[in-house]
Amino acid sequence: MVQKYQSPVRIYKYPFELVMAAYEKRFPTCPQIPVFLGSEVVFESRSADGAVHVVERSCRLRVEAPRLLRKIAGVEHVVFVQRNVLNWKERTLRIDAHNETFASRVVVRENCSYTVHPENEEWTCFEQSASLDIRSFFGFESALEKIAMKQYTANVKRGKEVIEHYLNELISQGISHIPRWTPAPVREEDTRSQAGLGDPGSLEVHGPRSTQDPAEEMVGTEGDKLDADYIERCLGHLTPMQESCLIQLRHWLQETHKGKIPKDQHILRFLRARDFHLDKAREMLCQSLSWRKQHQVDLLLQTWHPPALLEEFYAGGWHYQDIDGRPLYILRLGHMDTKGLMKAVGEEALLQHVLSVNEEGQKRCEGNTRQFGRPISSWTCLVDLEGLNMRHLWRPGVKALLRMIEVVEDHYPETLGRLLIVRAPRVFPVLWTLISPFINENTRQKFLIYSGSNYPGGLVDYLDKDVIPDFLGGECLCNVPEGGLVPKSLYLMEEDQEHAEQLHEWRETYQPASVLREAPHEVAVEILEGESVITWDFDILRGDVVFSLCYAKQAPQPGPREPGARASGQLMDKGGTLGADYSPVEAPLICREGESIQGSHVTRWPGIYLLRWQVHGPPGSVDEDVLTALHSPGPRCKLLYYYEVLASEDFRGSMSSLESCTSRFSQLSATTSSSSSSQSHSSSLVSR
């Protein structure tokens, strides 16, 4: 594989002639670059008028490689041939270099240019490109490639420093100005002596070559080029190879992409998301650009107007910035009725709103970059989980959340700088277990969770005291909507054709059940190991029921049973004895018609657990044994239910991570660890 390098435009704020004088001081040796052992001129010529000066040098470079590799190669230094074409009239220097040592096994080509700045003739621009093609090297191709690129980029980094060193040396010697070249009178004998050189113009670097010049890849209009000062000022510090990847990807887009070229900050995010692997970043970016064009995302901030219901009940909004100048977005997730919002506006509207938040975040990053005078490419999200409960684990809602995470990960990579989670309740690990596998590892490392009660003490490490919201103990008034339950009267109706497919999908997720007074409805769940988590979610469509969860050491009916659950009406063995064969592990819960119920239970033992719905009797019967069916005839109740079992291995890791951060912010553990707690935990919530 051919490795390529392309530098940004580096600017010396000195005239071209003075920079050339500094450049010449690098020869024949350069103490500032230790690997450069020395050089000698092997060819030199000048044009008749002295405008074009051509010099070829043989340069020796020390091999900085492991001793074994040097021993196998049999050399302690390598030889490069460098050809310089200096045109005083046009004020340009073109440099071509290639290796002579191991030329049949390794091909190295480097091209550099010094030119006058297009907007200031008293400044000088410098660019360089290089390519490395290792065809064979005694089986050490990969190792040599890494060593060569590491050494090359280290020398690149020193290159500008060396020129600046010699510029300062010249100035200290009183040489701060060198006159520009002017043509000298040409004598007849000089003309005859130079006849063999041919056309001076043929000495230019743009003349014919036997191989393609990598420098040609960077040829373009001056406005297309990035300079190093701009990168440092607007994009932040990048290594030479990172700069090279940015410039190569940007230039590739300029040549091939039909449409608007994304901003440099946008391109850089995709490179960072793929660890500056150029091909992977290019593929990811191209897919995202196609997606943006297809869905007209560039116009989203101008065209998207959230429904009034979203503005009232979506508990999120922008709030100043964090201590590093990143825009701060606050999401009061625990106060937000995610199920109600989904049922009232639909999944697509919520997705559009999330995309608009991300678009606004990028816009605010650009504004903060200008305001604070330093690169700010990501924003901070503060998530308040007070009030988080099983309502937020409504299965279609979780599915929609996972889709939104996937879209944001694919098209807005590296936009989240930090995510602060405060007031995380005990139910949070259940949600985290469901969504964490879908979050990129780099993103997960930015999650900081705080479950203690003294949260302002931890927030001051990331937020200035004067921007901590009032509802978190600060003094700053926060205008983020408080959320709340969405009235069911605002839910999408069956006759709404626009959302018919989504309504059908929601119904497909849930199982229908009828509950007769003489036949409670029961679902058996087999738990193979303790400390698993059973979650449930059901809607009461008609009638009132009593819901309970029971445990039985053995299956309640004979015959083989597959792991999982099976609903078949009355499962409880009538001959079983309460407290001996089975026992309740959840307090009975009366559920009224029209209510939505969500809950979870952390199991203590393996065995069979029963989700049980029973018709609610007349007043006074609630205190009776809810495990005994009432056989008198009565009305039929209807419900839709869904349940899921979370593996103990996953859940224990989330629980221990949460329990470990009770007094300060802690980074969520990426590894799964066993929990020392053997106590069970359960919760149920009614959404009216």
Side-chain angles (χ1 to χ4, degrees), residues 180-253:
R180 294 187 186 180
W181 175 87
T182 54
V186 180
R187 296 178 298 177
E188 183 177 348
E189 55 271 23
D190 291 337
T191 305
R192 288 195 301 269
S193 65
Q194 294 293 334
L197 291 176
D199 183 4
S202 66
L203 298 175
E204 295 286 346
V205 75
H206 295 300
R209 293 195 185 99
S210 59
T211 58
Q212 183 180 0
D213 181 359
E216 294 175 358
E217 298 177 4
M218 65 185 181
V219 175
T221 62
E222 293 296 338
D224 291 340
K225 297 180 180 180
L226 300 181
D227 68 70
D229 293 339
Y230 160 79
I231 292 176
E232 188 76 25
R233 185 177 66 255
C234 299
L235 304 180
H237 174 73
L238 300 176
T239 67
M241 286 307 299
Q242 290 172 345
E243 291 176 339
S244 173
C245 289
L246 173 62
I247 294 167
Q248 289 184 62
L249 183 50
R250 186 177 188 265
H251 185 64
W252 182 85
L253 287 171

Side-chain angles (χ1 to χ4, degrees), residues 368-410:
N368 284 19
T369 295
R370 293 189 294 268
Q371 178 182 348
F372 296 108
R374 62 178 185 273
I376 296 174
S377 60
S378 59
W379 45 284
T380 291
C381 185
L382 171 63
V383 182
D384 178 22
L385 294 183
E386 182 191 47
L388 185 79
N389 46 55
M390 298 308 296
R391 180 181 72 247
H392 298 88
L393 294 183
W394 183 56
R395 186 60 180 180
V398 173
K399 183 179 178 182
L401 175 62
L402 295 179
R403 180 193 172 198
M404 294 174 193
I405 290 174
E406 182 181 11
V407 170
V408 171
E409 290 271 282
D410 288 344

